Amino acid sequence: MSVISRVALLGRAGLDTVSALGRSGIFLSNALLGRTRFGNSFALLLKQLYSVGVLSLAITIVSGLFIGMVLALQGYNILVGYGSEQAVGQMVALTMLRELGPVVAALLFAGRAGSALTAEIGLMKATEQLSSMEMIGVDPLKYVIAPRLWAGFISLPLLTMIFCVVGIWGGSLVAVDWLGVYSGSYWSNMQNSVEFVDDVLNGMVKAVVFAFVVTWIAVFQGYDCEPTSEGISRATTRTVVYASLAVLGLDFILTALMF
Amino acid sequence: MRTRNLELTVGAFILAGLLALAVLAVKISGLSPSSAGATYSVHAYFDNVAGLTPKAKVTMSGVTIGQVTAIEFDKTRYSARVDMDINRKINTLPADSTASILTAGLLGEKYLGISVGGDDEVLADGSEIYDTQSALVLEELIGRFLLNTVSKEE
């Protein structure tokens, strides 16, 4: 292959990336800003909240519990060397609220709900359900895409908060009930060091940003996929990979801006 | 009936999420509206505030009665000015009380301790605590100790 055609290949890849970004932006604004009549859309949103949010609850709670427990165990083993094992509550709470809560919940959400969204919408496209909707004059952006986007935006922040609470409770389970840290100092150290606005709300801002990005990527990949079985499988993989990378990269930027 | 169950589970999910936020606010960050209630502000000048930070506790007899709001360098007095807010209920502090910078535990955080004076006048909003005791800097302490041992040997 000559040098010129390699450069052309690079150029085509660049153009493809830019046009995919542009299409996803137009797609998002059409789905969110398109006119919606209230009434029917609420029932659609409810159904999606169930499949995106409620069904992700189990994995979120179980992982939150174990992550909190492991943090408390590791933190205790390190802190006990300095004789300050009471600080384990503070460590668990700050780690959960600032970093692990939003990030791990978003990664789990991308794997559990994001891939399902992509596969579902991709299959709808492959079986020409989306084009038949357009044929009968129903806007698929409004009836298929918009409820899923909103369900994702609403679910992930809620899941993140539940994740943090369960994790901190799991930490107290290990530190207080098992390792024997005094429960008064576990909670009071935590309350002294955790600030509502700086820690809790900033963590929630992260969760909202991640919810936006992960759901956007998942739904767009499904909508934009090649309507074949390989196309759907590739789109599902891309959803998980892109969403995870976006979450981790954005987390660094948000942390640098916030803390 | 099927939609009703769906609505119920989604409602419970949203409720659980909001409840989690309430737990984060009250139980974990200890947010309570009363703690930010009425306060009055006093300030003090220290030679050295090493390690004291804004939001540090102001305590008296070990009980928290306020918090440090600002720390800045005063270029005319060449010392550090510490502003603090004290709970308005504690309005009987004598004007000659002492403010000292203390450390919680061996390596813990720095906080301000106020020990009571004997003046009849009390501290009011905007007044200054004149009697201050600076932070203990470990290097200075070790330096002084070394100097003592050397001079004894001679």
Side-chain angles (χ1 to χ4, degrees):
Chain A
M1 200 188 281
S2 72
V3 177
I4 303 236
S5 59
R6 276 179 193 280
V7 173
L9 216 60
L10 190 70
R12 194 192 302 161
L15 282 176
D16 282 349
T17 314
V18 173
S19 87
L21 275 176
R23 260 180 294 141
S24 68
I26 292 169
F27 160 82
L28 184 73
S29 63
N30 281 345
L32 291 185
L33 305 178
R35 277 189 306 124
T36 44
R37 265 172 260 112
F38 210 76
N40 194 17
S41 60
F42 183 71
L44 289 169
L45 176 65
L46 204 70
K47 192 152 170 289
Q48 291 311 318
L49 272 177
Y50 180 78
S51 66
V52 169
V54 177
L55 294 182
S56 309
L57 209 53
I59 186 178
T60 308
I61 289 177
V62 173
S63 347
L65 187 68
F66 280 116
I67 284 179
M69 285 165 71
V70 126
L71 271 180
L73 197 58
Q74 288 280 13
Y76 180 86
N77 284 336
I78 293 167
L79 289 170
V80 82
Y82 303 96
S84 50
E85 65 270 19
Q86 303 88 354
V88 73
Q90 165 185 354
M91 194 210 77
V92 170
L94 287 180
T95 320
M96 288 302 277
L97 289 168
R98 287 185 175 182
E99 292 297 332
L100 283 185
V103 170
V104 177
L107 293 180
L108 290 171
F109 186 80
R112 163 68 185 74
S115 58
L117 283 175
T118 307
E120 193 187 7
I121 297 171
L123 198 67
M124 280 185 184
K125 189 176 183 187
T127 53
E128 297 185 341
Q129 293 178 44
L130 294 184
S131 31
S132 10
M133 280 180 131
E134 272 167 17
M135 286 295 289
I136 57 171
V138 173
D139 186 3
L141 280 180
K142 196 176 349 176
Y143 286 92
V144 175
I145 305 298
R148 283 171 173 76
L149 280 173
W150 283 112
F153 297 165
I154 296 170
S155 297
L156 184 51
L158 293 173
L159 287 170
T160 304
M161 290 187 260
I162 296 171
F163 185 90
C164 290
V165 169
V166 171
I168 291 165
W169 178 73
S172 85
L173 208 66
V174 167
V176 175
D177 298 333
W178 183 22
L179 296 171
V181 174
Y182 174 55
S183 80
S185 46
Y186 182 88
W187 294 107
S188 73
N189 257 334
M190 188 185 293
Q191 290 178 358
N192 282 339
S193 58
V194 177
E195 292 288 329
F196 183 69
V197 176
D198 287 349
D199 298 322
V200 179
L201 285 191
N202 271 348
M204 289 311 121
V205 168
K206 275 186 179 180
V208 170
V209 173
F210 295 162
F212 186 77
V213 170
V214 170
T215 322
W216 182 15
I217 290 175
V219 172
F220 177 71
Q221 289 296 343
Y223 192 76
D224 200 50
C225 79
E226 211 179 299
T228 58
S229 35
E230 298 102 72
I232 295 173
S233 92
R234 268 203 302 274
T236 314
T237 312
R238 271 206 301 269
T239 293
V240 177
V241 172
Y242 289 175
S244 308
L245 288 178
V247 164
L248 294 171
L250 274 175
D251 180 53
F252 176 74
I253 295 171
L254 287 175
T255 305
L257 289 178
M258 283 171 178
F259 299 111
Chain B
M1 209 52 211
R2 172 90 178 78
T3 21
R4 195 174 146 68
N5 278 340
L6 194 82
E7 283 171 358
L8 269 178
T9 43
V10 172
F13 166 61
I14 291 176
L15 214 62
L18 296 180
L19 204 72
L21 181 66
V23 170
L24 287 179
V26 176
K27 175 89 180 168
I28 290 164
S29 62
L31 186 78
S32 56
S34 61
S35 71
T39 54
Y40 63 97
S41 162
V42 290
H43 62 273
Y45 288 92
F46 290 90
D47 291 335
N48 192 342
V49 290
L52 193 74
T53 54
K55 286 190 179 168
K57 290 187 288 189
V58 177
T59 67
M60 191 156 191
S61 314
V63 181
T64 305
I65 58 167
Q67 68 171 3
V68 173
T69 51
I71 298 174
E72 58 203 17
F73 183 68
D74 188 323
K75 62 181 177 184
T76 53
R77 292 176 64 152
Y78 299 107
S79 55
R81 179 191 160 113
V82 174
D83 285 89
M84 63 201 102
D85 277 347
I86 292 176
N87 195 329
R88 201 169 275 287
K89 277 186 230 158
I90 320 290
N91 55 2
T92 53
L93 295 178
D96 63 342
S97 299
T98 311
S100 31
I101 297 175
L102 305 169
T103 312
L106 191 60
L107 298 166
E109 51 177 348
K110 293 273 196 290
Y111 65 97
L112 264 183
I114 295 185
S115 32
V116 73
D119 206 333
D120 286 340
E121 267 180 58
V122 294
L123 288 173
D125 194 41
S127 53
E128 181 183 341
I129 301 179
Y130 293 99
D131 203 357
T132 61
Q133 212 168 7
S134 287
L136 210 67
V137 178
L138 209 58
E139 287 85 345
E140 281 179 9
L141 209 68
I142 293 171
R144 216 178 298 159
F145 175 74
L146 285 179
L147 214 66
N148 268 346
T149 42
V150 168
S151 56
K152 257 180 212 163
E153 276 168 8
E154 284 167 357

